[in-house]
Each structure stands twice: as C-alpha cells, then as structure tokens.
C-alpha cells in the first residue's frame, strides 16, 4: 500500500493505483475525458491535470501517473482550472457545436465540462471539419466532426472486444478516428464504443430522436438472453424500452454487452406480441378470457392420460419455484426444461466426476488465468461477454488460449491462441486423449482422485496417437495442450452450451470434468471448470431442480410419448420446440397427437400456432425476481414496463393456475425467494432486497469439488461424406427470441449456410447466393455465407430461424453428411 495526501486528505491505496484512482477512492472529483475505468491508461486529453508537490514546474495527468509514497497532490487551484479551461478551448476549436440536435445532449461529458469550466468564448480559432456522417450500418452513427480524439472507442474495441475496428489516422490537426480504409463501420456491433464515447460522435441509431436522456426512466435489471447474465439498464419512456443505457456499476460485466443485450431489446415493444389468451374453437385460435383459458389449462393438467410440462430457461427462479409447485398440485411428474438434454445432461456428466452441477469459479477470475481451454471456438458466440474476459486475459495478461473446435472462430484469431481443429463431433475424443496424455506422461494430479486404474484401462483406445488419426488433431498438439493446462498456475476450461449442441452432452460434461480434475484445475483456488448454459436462467433451472420426478418423463421422452398418442396434455412454456428442438418431425407429431396442447409465450410461434390454448406471457423487461447466471451469480431482475394488453408474467399465470387447482398462490416474488433459498443449502439465506448490485454468488467465489471420481467416457460420433453439416449458435442470435428483435435481425436477417472459400470456389458459389443443402432426406434452401472460418468439407447452419427445416435434419446427431449446390 502507498500513503499520499490529496487536497490535504491522507489516502492509503494499493501501489498499482494512479493518482486519479486514489482521488476517486477518497471521494475527490477530478474531471476526465479519455479515462475509462475498464481501459488501460492512455493520457490523451489532459483534462485531468493535477499538481504534485514533488514534480513542481508542470502539471501532471492524474489518470496515467502512478501513486508514490509521500506524494502530495493538489487537484484544484486557479492555475489548474485555467489550464483545464484552455484544454477545453483547444478541444472546441474544431468541434462542431450541435448540442440542440445532438442525441448526447444532457449526458455529454464535453458539454458538462464546458459548462463547469465556463468556456463561453474561445481564444483560438480553427477550421471546423466537415466529415460525412457514417450511417452505413443500422446500429451506430459515426459523426467524426464531434470527436474529441479521446481514443476510448479505439481502445475498447481493441482491448476488450478484440475486434480492432478503429485506429487514429493522419497526424496533428488532421488526426481522426477511422475504420479500415476509412470506409463505413463493419463489425460485430456490440455497441461498446457507443457506450464509452464521451460525446455525440458515436450514437446508437435505433435510439435517435426517441427521447432526451433525462426523459428516460432507468431500470437496472439483467439481460434476458444468455447465461452470461450481464446486468443492464433499461431506458424507458411511454412504457417502451427505448434503449439500453451504459452502466458499469452493477454486476461483473463492467457495462460490457454484446449486440443481443445492447441492440436486441425491441422485441419487448413489438406489436406482434400476444396480448390476449387464445383458445382453439372450430379449428381456429380465437381470443378468449383468462378465466376460460386457465380453466382449460387446469383441466388439461389433470388429464387422466397424464400431462407433461416443458419449460424454457428464461423464467425467473421464483417462476421455476411456482411451476414446480403447480406441477405438484396437479400431480404432474413429467416436468423438464430446455429440451431435457443439453445443459441438464452436461451438468449430470460434471456431477458424476466432481459432485457439482455448476461452474467452479467466477467470470472475473478468468481475466488473470494463465492458460485457458475453450471447448468450441463459438464459446464467444454463445457467451460473448464472458468471451470478452477471455480477450482481456489473452491481450492484457498474455494468457495462453487453447481452442478445441471443429471450425475457427473469433478466439482463434487472438494472439497467443492455438486451435486444435478437430473433425466435427469428436471434441470428446480429444479431451479423453488429453486425460490419457497426462496419465501416461506422469503429469496428472491424482492425489485424492478415485477410479484411476479403471479409467486407465477403459481409456486405452484414447491414446493420443490413435485419437490423432480419427480427429485430425496431431498427437503432439494433444500432449502439449494437456501439459500446458496441467502446468497452469491458474487455468480455466470453458464449455458453453445450448440446445443446438445436445449430442454427446453427458460425454462432454464427463470428459471436461475428468480433464479439470487431472490437470488440477478443479482444485485451484480460482477459475477451474466453467459450464455455461445457453439461456439467462439455465443455471437456476438446474439449481431449482426443474426436472422430472423419478416416475416422470424428461422432455424428449414426453415428446416421444405425445407423438405416439400416449400423453394426455403438453404444457410448453417459453419454448418453440418446432423451431429449436432436434427431430422437428417428432415434435410436429407430438403436437398433433397430444390430447391437448398449451403454449405460453410472447409470440405466436410455430409451436404456439399448433396449440389448443395460447397464454400471452411477459418478457424479462416486465418481470420481478432473480436469475442465476453461469457463474452461480444470483441477480435481481426488475420490471421496467408493464406487459402489453392482457399479457401476464409467468409468475402471475402459475399463481392463477394454482388457485384454479385449489392451492394457495404465494404473495409475491420476495416471499418465494425466501422460500426457495430456505430449500437450497447452497443458496444465500437472505431477502430479495438484500441482493446488492453485484448479485450474490451461491457457494462463494470458489466451489470446491464434492467428489474426485474419474469416469470413463466413450468417444463422439462423426459422419462420412464429401460435406459434413453442423449446427449451432450465431453471435447475433440467442434461441429464437432474437428473430423478433430488430437489432439482431438487421445483422443477420435470415438463415444461412456457411462454407469455406475453397469449397465455395470449387462449387462456383458466391457470398449471398441461394443454395440447396441436402441432408437427412431434407432439402434446405439457404443463403450462402462464404468465409475463412470453416475447414474444407464443413458446412455450418445456425439453428435460430423458424421454417428452415434444419431441426428435421438433426435428430440427435452432432454432424450429418450433406450435399450442397447453387440454386
Ligand atoms: S460496435 Fe463493438 S465491435 Fe463495433 S466498433 Fe464498436 S466496439 Fe468495436
Ligand atoms: S469517436 Fe468518441 S470515443 Fe472515439 S475518439 Fe472520438 S470522442 Fe473518443
Ligand atoms: S446476450 Fe449474454 S453476453 Fe450478450 S449482453 Fe445478454 S447476457 Fe450479456
Ligand atoms: S483523462 Fe487523463 S489525460 Fe485524459
């Protein structure tokens, strides 16, 4: 620690602090423009100049100067004020002053400083720039005439997003921020640069002229999309979410968001939302009263042929709790979530080895990991903001990044990244071979680990040399990666998961946990194994046990039973199985042959259109309660708007159904939160309002394994053919909900199939061409996306879009043989 004096106040801070950080901690305000908490010090603007007694004769930038013992700092004096005012005058020399029409008005840092320092005239005269405004993309307006060259956009895009869209070009007075070749912005549109721009040079286009900042009601909540659980702040006016506001004070995402969280909010305002319950009469879905609809659902749940309930994983913990109570009240034992496979089965695999069904560490711990293994390069696509933590680990702290995947992705382009490119469907084989390499090479941590001999015997077929032959990853690379991981002081294995990845879920969970154990990561003080569910509350669904009872059916078994006419009713909540579940033909049969189908959702999805009763539900922006993210962080979800028409929260619907069944509904989410925590040993015993802005991580920052038991696991299954087709997530979409959101749709408006340049050239296919992919007896009509990501012979089609027929091709396989041709 270092002791110093700031404005006469004694301050003690860590020696890594700058003067600015020390002052901030002491509650002393120093103005800044180029400084941003999450970026490395830069020192571009000179607005933060202060006087240091030991450095007399010049003023010192406080944001870049480290504290030293005994330093005496003055942050305000007549001279400092004069110099800051001069700095502002310089900044305003060529800055167009358009405050009346600039969307940043009212929250512009330059405007605020100009006001505070009373810069009413300018002694300097210079030419104003007349750069054309870049409006070539639907997300971000770039008006470089307003830029103050603080470099925050350049740095955030490089240091955190790792996209590197911007640089400073030219010199002196001509300096400006430009994109490659000074063309329009073309990037992943996460909006981080917009969040950090202190002036109106970068603005979110969807919010243009919607409201002045002071007209917005700000509501802190949690993103409703993925298991990253980013906190965000809704900007609400006229009962509509008008924008997402930058807020780096809550949660652990430092205000970082991906395109889905930043620009994917419009679906909550959509006029396509369901607003009244519907019931099928004479073959048509017609509007009805809540009472009639709920009566029908309550009767359906009591069907003598049995009922099944399948829910999505975007309900709050409190809603899951009520749903379980509802299932009990109706005597329904077949209850499951998210297809019943994917994340649930993955955590079952991890549990067999480590006795845990959750990640062992927290996200921020990964920033200082020295070795990271990402299983599937598209981890950045399923959990982008956690991916940004990985970017920082690699770029700032020089972590070694190992990527085990069937295609290249964003991670593979990072410096210090090494990609183990495997034949599709065989990631488990490579993980197994890494375990075998550690055991054979004497590098495995085996203390306290049981089942070693049986494991060694059963895993003989996964010797690295043999695995190399079938996966295409060299034996040397497998051994080196395993050893690197075992040598890590602080290592992390990341496994992002979701519905498109159901095949071999259990095997992947087992294999990753075996490796975490043998490499010694599971027992490290920080980081370890990260199992990350796809949806906002996938972890909550596991924690609360939204699972079938012993005599009940899982989701896939329910669908199979319904398809055979053996299930009286099916109640589907927040899911569109017809679009996203594997084996779409079976789902269709299940919906046709179940005696009675209820769908509770925001939109009339393809699944809802087949239902007997449709209940209009609320979005995340209308809910009160908690989500638990993929690092076990329980965070507050708060309502910013009321639901359209008669739509209700899932919580209110379950409560009303409980009453229909003669049971009592609890008063509100606060009461239920208390009850659910009391029933879960690991959950904190606190009230809903005691959850602070950073949330509460159940089990603490480090979750120690309860067991250390190696479990042998079989390999994966690939396919043979000139082309192999795989499916998964796109960065721009999350499940099918984003296909109702303007932002993600503007980036990726339609389904596509991706193929490598070499294949495309051989087939005469160009980017954007219409192509036919034939696989599993199904013809898929898709747009071609040609790039450098996919190895020769591999095709990839994301799973988000309704009507593509992709889930009729995949019936439980990770990869299928396919043909592709233009037309
Ligand atoms: S939107 Fe994101 S990726 Fe695009 S330039 Fe800004 S920070 Fe970079
Ligand atoms: S565009 Fe904004 S963030 Fe980027 S350098 Fe200019 S003022 Fe700073
Ligand atoms: S989609 Fe996931 S990563 Fe993106 S902002 Fe939302 S929670 Fe964060
Ligand atoms: S904030 Fe310190 S130099 Fe810009």
């Amino acid at each position: 620690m270092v002791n110093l004096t700031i404005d006469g106040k004694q301050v003690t801070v860590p020696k890594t602090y700058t003067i600015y950080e020390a002052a901030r901690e002491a509650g002393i305000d120093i103005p800044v423009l180029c400084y941003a908490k999450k970026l490395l010090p830069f020192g571009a603007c000179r607005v933060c100049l202060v006087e240091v007694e030991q450095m007399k004769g010049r003023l010192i930038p406080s944001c870049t100067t480290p504290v030293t013992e005994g330093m005496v700092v003055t942050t305000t004096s007549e001279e400092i004020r004069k110099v800051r005012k001069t700095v502002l005058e310089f900044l305003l020399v060529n800055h167009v002053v358009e405050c009346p029409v600039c969307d940043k008005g009212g929250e512009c840092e330059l405007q605020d400083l100009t006001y505070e320092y009373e810069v009413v005239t300018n002694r300097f005269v210079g030419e104003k720039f007349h750069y054309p405004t870049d409006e070539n993309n639907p997300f971000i307006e770039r008006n470089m005439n307003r830029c103050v060259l603080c470099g925050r956009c350049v740095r955030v895009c490089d240091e955190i997003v790792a996209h590197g869209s911007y640089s400073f070009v030219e010199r002196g007075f001509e300096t400006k921020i430009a994109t490659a070749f000074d063309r329009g912005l073309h990037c992943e549109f996460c909006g981080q640069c917009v969040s950090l721009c202190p002036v109106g040079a970068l603005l979110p286009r969807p919010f243009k002229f919607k409201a002045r900042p002071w007209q917005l009601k700000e509501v802190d909540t949690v993103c409703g999309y993925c298991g990253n659980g980013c906190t965000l702040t809704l900007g609400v006016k006229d009962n509509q979410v008008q924008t997402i506001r930058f807020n780096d004070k809550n949660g652990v995402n430092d205000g970082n968001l991906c395109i889905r969280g930043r620009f994917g909010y419009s679906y909550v305002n959509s006029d396509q939302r369901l607003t009244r319950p519907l019931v099928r009469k004479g073959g048509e879905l017609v509007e009805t009263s809540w009472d009639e609809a709920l009566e029908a659902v309550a009767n359906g749940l009591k069907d003598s042929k049995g009922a099944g309930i399948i829910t999505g994983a975007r309900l709050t913990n409190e809603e899951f709790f009520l749903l379980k109570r509802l299932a009990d009240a109706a005597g329904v034992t077949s209850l499951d979530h998210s297809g019943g496979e994917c994340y649930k089965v993955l955590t079952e695999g991890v549990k067999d080895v480590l006795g845990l069904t959750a990640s062992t560490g927290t996200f921020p711990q990964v920033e200082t990991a020295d070795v990271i293994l990402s299983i599937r390069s598209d981890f950045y696509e399923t959990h982008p903001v956690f991916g940004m933590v990985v970017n920082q680990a690699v770029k700032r702290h020089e972590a070694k990044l190992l990527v085990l995947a069937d295609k290249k992705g964003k991670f593979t382009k990072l410096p210090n990244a090494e990609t183990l490119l495997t034949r599709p469907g065989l990631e488990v084989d490579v993980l197994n071979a890494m375990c075998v390499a550690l055991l054979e090479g004497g590098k495995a941590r085996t203390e306290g680990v049981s089942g070693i001999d049986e494991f060694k015997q059963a895993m003989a077929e996964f010797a690295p040399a043999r695995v190399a032959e079938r996966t295409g990853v060299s034996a040397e690379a497998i051994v080196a990666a395993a050893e690197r991981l075992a040598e890590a002081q602080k290592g992390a294995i990341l496994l992002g998961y979701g519905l498109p990845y159901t095949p071999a879920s259990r095997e992947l969970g087992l294999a990753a946990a075996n490796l975490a154990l043998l490499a010694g990561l599971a027992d490290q003080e920080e980081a370890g194994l990260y199992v990350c569910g796809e949806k906002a509350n996938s972890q909550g669904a596991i924690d609360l046990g939204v699972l079938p009872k012993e005599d009940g059916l899982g989701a896939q078994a329910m669908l199979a039973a319904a398809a055979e006419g053996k299930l009286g009713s099916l109640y589907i909540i927040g899911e569109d199985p017809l679009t996203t579940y594997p084996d779409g033909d079976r789902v269709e049969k299940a919906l046709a042959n179940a005696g009675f189908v209820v769908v509770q959702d925001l939109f009339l999805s393809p699944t809802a259109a087949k239902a007997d009763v449709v209940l209009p539900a609320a979005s995340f922006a209308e809910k009160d309660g908690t989500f638990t993210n993929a690092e076990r962080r329980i965070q507050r979800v708060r309502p910013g708007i009321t639901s359209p028409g008669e739509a209700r929260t899932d919580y209110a619907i379950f409560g009303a159904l409980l009453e229909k069944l003669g049971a009592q509904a609890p008063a509100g989410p606060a009461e239920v939160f208390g009850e659910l925590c009391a029933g879960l040993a690991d959950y904190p015993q606190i009230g809903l309002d005691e959850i602070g802005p950073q949330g509460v991580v159940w089990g603490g920052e480090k979750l120690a394994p309860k067991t250390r038991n190696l479990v042998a696991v079989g390999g994966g299954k690939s396919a043979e053919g000139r082309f192999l087709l795989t499916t998964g997530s796109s960065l721009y979409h999350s499940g099918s909900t984003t296909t109702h959101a303007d932002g993600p749709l503007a980036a990726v408006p339609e389904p596509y199939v991706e193929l490598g340049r070499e294949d495309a050239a051989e087939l005469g296919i160009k980017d954007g061409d219409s192509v036919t992919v034939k696989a599993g007896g199904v013809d898929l009509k898709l747009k071609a996306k040609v790039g450098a990501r996919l190895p020769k012979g591999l095709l990839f089609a994301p799973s988000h879009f309704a009507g593509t027929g992709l889930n009729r091709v995949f019936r439980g396989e990770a990869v299928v043989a396919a043909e592709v041709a233009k037309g």
Side-chain angles (χ1 to χ4, degrees), residues 66-138:
V67 291
T68 53
E69 186 65 34
M71 216 177 213
V72 179
V73 181
T74 303
T75 70
T76 343
S77 69
E78 226 7 80
E79 193 202 341
I80 292 171
R81 199 176 157 80
K82 230 165 87 186
V83 172
R84 285 185 190 152
K85 191 169 172 174
T86 306
V87 167
L88 289 168
E89 282 179 273
F90 275 131
L91 286 175
L92 286 165
V93 165
N94 54 2
H95 184 98
V96 290
V97 181
E98 302 172 326
C99 304
V101 288
C102 177
D103 255 18
K104 198 77 175 182
E107 57 177 351
C108 170
E109 293 174 44
L110 181 64
Q111 196 181 54
D112 291 347
L113 287 172
T114 307
Y115 184 82
E116 188 185 335
Y117 285 83
E118 299 174 23
V119 189
V120 282
T121 54
N122 201 337
R123 289 167 293 155
F124 310 106
V125 184
E127 194 189 334
K128 302 284 181 202
F129 293 120
H130 299 284
Y131 298 123
T133 305
D134 172 9
E135 293 176 319
N136 288 330
N137 69 81

Side-chain angles (χ1 to χ4, degrees), residues 254 287 409 460 495 533 595 609 822:
D254 268 344
E287 290 187 351
L495 186 49
K822 197 168 167 179

